[in-house]
Amino acid sequence: MPKAGIIYNDVKPIAGRVAIELKDKLTAAGWNVCITSSIGGILGYSTPESSVCHTPIDGLTPPGFDSDMKFAVVLGGDGTVLAASRQVAPCGIPLLTVNTGHMGFLTETFLNQLPQALEQAMAGEYEIEERAMLTVKVFRGDSVLWEALCLNEMVLHREPLTSMCHFEIAIGRHAPVDIAADGVIVSTPTGSTAYSLSAGGPVVTPGVPVLQLVPICPHSLASRALVFPDTDSVNIYPVNIPRLVMVVDGNGGCYILPEDRVYMERSQYSARFIRLQPPEFFRILREKLGWGLPHIAKPTSVELP
């Protein structure tokens, strides 16, 4: 009996309703179905009184989800996709992402197209696009205090953003650099269209094997976005007192004290997305962000999104 999964945003009533309907349809077709909420992939937030809220990377996989699963349907927006990718990446489960949110930059299809998309997924008529992920760890001495998988970006800043942060950053075997800024972002190619883009970083197409470091509002003309190979690890040593706050994928993180070290490297796991047609990144940029449209619209020569 083939096996499929469903991960849905239980905050959105429509996602919950569709999840039940989808489970019934797959079960009637002879599939073994596991269903779970994306809340299991939400990273815990720390508090000043408890600076560590640690869930091991492999501890987020929902019960019943394993490498035997043919695919999992994700019902939600971009936040749900980010959470679901953390839940299933260690198992290598391909994700069919269905937008029930707003932007849906990471989603493949919409609810009104779900019946046809599901038929294609059940028949195996799709391509799989792999997206690089980061492993983010916080060390105090030799002890790992916190870790997480990251599909978009890691952000380190003060709380609140009221004054300058100082960092010593070492990339690979290169000499450490000092950066003074409101914060720093370390981003994957997937995350280059998220917070990194808003902070002035470049757009990177998904298949390029690089990471990027983007200072947030740096206090120097010399501190600009840096793109480097994803074979290089990153170590960040904060200088600020009493603490900084780290956020992963805009979701959760922990407080970073001056004696801590934030370590990042490309993960051994990848997010695997089902593509019902050959991936076309520039089309998504055009539809979602308006990239490449003429500065003067010409309705007869260009189809606006």
Side-chain angles (χ1 to χ4, degrees), residues 189-212:
T190 299
S192 71
T193 52
Y195 194 177
S196 172
L197 178 66
S198 299
V203 174
V204 180
T205 55
V208 181
V210 297
L211 302 174
Q212 58 176 312

Side-chain angles (χ1 to χ4, degrees), residues 8 15 32 49 82 103 107 195 201 210 229 239 251 271 277 301:
Y8 68 99
N32 180 14
E49 293 73 28
L82 292 170
M103 173 69 78
T107 56
Y195 194 177
V210 297
V239 181
N251 166 238
Q277 53 187 338
S301 61

Side-chain angles (χ1 to χ4, degrees), residues 153-294:
E153 75 279 302
M154 184 286 310
V155 183
L156 189 59
H157 61 81
R158 290 195 72 153
E159 186 186 46
L161 284 171
T162 56
S163 58
M164 192 69 62
C165 301
H166 296 271
F167 310 93
E168 183 179 274
I169 302 176
I171 297 175
R173 296 183 178 182
H174 300 286
V177 296
D178 295 318
I179 291 180
D182 284 354
V184 291
I185 303 168
V186 177
S187 167
T188 67
T190 299
S192 71
T193 52
Y195 194 177
S196 172
L197 178 66
S198 299
V203 174
V204 180
T205 55
V208 181
V210 297
L211 302 174
Q212 58 176 312
L213 171 72
V214 182
I216 303 171
C217 300
H219 194 243
S220 170
L221 292 175
S223 295
R224 291 296 175 258
L226 174 69
V227 177
F228 55 94
D230 64 7
T231 53
D232 287 341
S233 60
V234 182
N235 283 285
I236 300 180
Y237 304 86
V239 181
N240 290 72
I241 298 175
R243 61 178 178 260
L244 297 175
V245 65
M246 183 181 69
V247 179
V248 173
D249 284 344
N251 166 238
C254 66
Y255 284 93
I256 307 298
L257 303 181
E259 61 265 32
D260 296 340
R261 170 172 61 97
V262 179
Y263 173 82
M264 283 153 287
E265 65 178 357
R266 177 167 177 168
S267 175
Q268 61 177 313
Y269 306 125
S270 298
R272 307 180 74 222
F273 293 114
I274 287 176
R275 300 306 183 202
L276 303 174
Q277 53 187 338
E280 220 307 295
F281 184 65
F282 286 178
R283 176 184 60 82
I284 298 173
L285 284 182
R286 181 187 183 92
E287 292 177 354
K288 303 294 186 179
L289 299 179
W291 184 82
L293 293 178

Side-chain angles (χ1 to χ4, degrees), residues 9-165:
N9 184 344
D10 58 3
V11 176
K12 298 179 182 293
I14 188 171
R17 290 198 301 271
V18 173
I20 298 302
E21 295 171 0
L22 194 58
K23 180 180 180 182
D24 292 341
K25 183 173 182 178
L26 283 166
T27 301
W31 286 67
N32 180 14
V33 182
C34 297
I35 185 170
T36 189
S37 164
S38 63
I39 196 171
I42 299 297
L43 301 173
Y45 281 97
S46 302
T47 66
E49 293 73 28
S50 177
S51 61
V52 177
C53 186
H54 180 205
T55 302
I57 288 173
D58 295 334
L60 296 181
T61 304
F65 284 67
D66 54 40
S67 58
D68 293 332
M69 192 168 279
K70 299 296 185 182
F71 63 87
V73 180
V74 180
L75 300 164
D78 288 333
T80 307
V81 175
L82 292 170
S85 67
R86 283 190 291 272
Q87 289 174 286
V88 305
C91 301
I93 301 172
L95 296 176
L96 174 60
T97 53
V98 184
N99 186 20
T100 65
H102 300 288
M103 173 69 78
F105 197 91
L106 296 174
T107 56
E108 176 67 8
T109 190
F110 297 89
L111 278 178
N112 63 347
Q113 300 168 336
L114 179 55
Q116 178 182 352
L118 184 62
E119 291 297 327
Q120 284 187 244
M122 293 169 65
E125 299 173 353
Y126 55 79
E127 297 181 20
I128 293 180
E129 181 184 22
E130 294 200 2
R131 297 287 186 96
M133 303 183 79
L134 280 172
T135 295
V136 182
K137 295 184 178 182
V138 178
F139 285 88
R140 184 168 298 163
D142 295 328
S143 300
V144 177
L145 299 183
W146 191 91
E147 65 179 359
L149 280 179
C150 167
L151 179 58
N152 268 356
E153 75 279 302
M154 184 286 310
V155 183
L156 189 59
H157 61 81
R158 290 195 72 153
E159 186 186 46
L161 284 171
T162 56
S163 58
M164 192 69 62
C165 301

